[in-house]
Amino acid sequence: MSRLTKYEKKLYSPWFILPGGIIYFIFFLLPTLSSFFFSMTWWTLTDWKFIGFENFRDFFTDPNLNISFKNTFIYAVTTSGSKVILALLLASFLSSPAIKIRNFLRSVVYFPNLVSTLAVGITFQSLMHPTQGVINNALGLLGIKGPDWLGNINLALYSVALVDVWKGLSIATVIYIAGIMSIPQEYNEALLVDGGNAWHRFRYIIVPLPRGARNSVIILSFI
């Protein structure tokens, strides 16, 4: 390997990364270190007292910790699993050339991603109201007494998970569609030559090949 010229040494000077390093230190590294320090203190906005690992001890001995871990695990598995499966089915349907209005349907599916989380929360809090909500009123027309979706301890977690799936399904579907559209056309042509149908296309092409899209959906869902 040839030696760097004087110009190249100047071009790749360590000072080149200084602006980015300052930004990283101020907005990422410093807050991280400060958070760790204040986690070992009892503090207010004007005063603090060092107490060591007492906060961590209280946290891990809290009787509600196991419940929190359990609810978090259920919520993560329910929402992520639902997004992965439902988004794949929707993407498979919306990428089919036989669907003439697929572009319009894609817009409809993507719409929830454009709505802010606050607006979604307020809307579904109203829809899931136990006595005045649209959902329970619709069930009442069918002779079914609707539950308290957000007040029942056995249903509240799944109700919130359902709303999260509704909102997050859009971006997951878009990622899957991009993965399906990137599959080389030769696979579909070979399938037609072998006499494959729509099920075979879904089973042997759409499910296994867009692995990168599936991994992205799983990671983003858990995050």
Side-chain angles (χ1 to χ4, degrees), residues 63-79 153-158 160-161:
N64 294 320
L65 181 62
N66 291 333
I67 300 176
S68 300
F69 276 131
K70 176 184 176 182
N71 290 338
T72 301
F73 178 79
I74 294 174
Y75 183 84
V77 172
T78 301
T79 55
I153 60 175
N154 297 320
L155 288 177
L157 179 63
Y158 299 100
V160 176

Side-chain angles (χ1 to χ4, degrees), residues 187-210:
Y187 289 98
N188 293 319
E189 294 174 354
L191 182 71
L192 293 176
V193 171
D194 292 338
N197 52 30
W199 164 248
H200 294 133
R201 177 175 179 267
F202 177 80
R203 172 66 179 84
Y204 297 107
I205 296 179
I206 293 180
V207 172
L209 293 185

Side-chain angles (χ1 to χ4, degrees), residues 5-220:
T5 64
K6 184 177 180 180
Y7 173 76
E8 289 173 331
K9 290 181 179 179
K10 183 178 180 180
L11 180 65
Y12 294 99
S13 172
W15 292 101
F16 183 75
I17 65 173
L18 182 61
I22 294 175
I23 294 176
Y24 179 80
F25 176 79
I26 294 176
F27 292 102
F28 294 94
L29 188 58
L30 184 60
T32 301
L33 296 175
S34 299
S35 299
F36 179 73
F37 171 76
F38 282 108
S39 68
M40 295 187 294
T41 64
W42 178 90
W43 62 278
T44 64
L45 294 177
T46 58
D47 190 19
W48 62 271
K49 177 183 177 182
F50 186 79
I51 58 175
F53 291 97
E54 186 176 338
N55 287 329
F56 292 94
R57 184 190 63 188
D58 293 340
F59 173 75
F60 285 107
T61 57
D62 190 334
N64 294 320
L65 181 62
N66 291 333
I67 300 176
S68 300
F69 276 131
K70 176 184 176 182
N71 290 338
T72 301
F73 178 79
I74 294 174
Y75 183 84
V77 172
T78 301
T79 55
S80 299
S82 299
K83 291 176 187 177
V84 169
I85 297 174
L86 296 178
L88 178 61
L89 296 175
L90 271 175
S92 176
F93 173 75
L94 296 176
S95 62
S96 175
I99 308 300
K100 302 301 181 181
I101 59 172
R102 61 179 181 273
N103 290 331
F104 169 74
L105 295 177
R106 290 175 183 178
S107 301
V108 173
V109 171
Y110 188 73
F111 173 76
N113 190 58
L114 303 178
V115 184
S116 69
T117 303
L118 179 61
V120 171
I122 295 175
T123 301
F124 276 90
Q125 185 178 15
S126 176
L127 292 176
M128 294 180 174
H129 192 278
T131 58
Q132 302 177 0
V134 174
I135 296 177
N136 281 356
N137 287 339
L139 292 176
L141 296 177
L142 301 176
I144 303 174
K145 182 180 179 180
D148 187 354
W149 299 98
L150 300 176
N152 189 322
I153 60 175
N154 297 320
L155 288 177
L157 179 63
Y158 299 100
S159 299
V160 176
L162 178 64
V163 177
D164 182 81
V165 171
W166 177 84
K167 180 171 174 54
L169 189 63
S170 55
I171 189 65
T173 303
V174 170
I175 294 175
Y176 265 125
I177 290 176
I180 293 173
M181 298 300 292
S182 65
I183 298 175
Q185 189 62 26
E186 288 79 5
Y187 289 98
N188 293 319
E189 294 174 354
L191 182 71
L192 293 176
V193 171
D194 292 338
N197 52 30
W199 164 248
H200 294 133
R201 177 175 179 267
F202 177 80
R203 172 66 179 84
Y204 297 107
I205 296 179
I206 293 180
V207 172
L209 293 185
R211 184 178 303 172
R214 181 169 58 252
N215 293 339
S216 298
V217 171
I218 294 174
I219 292 173
L220 291 175

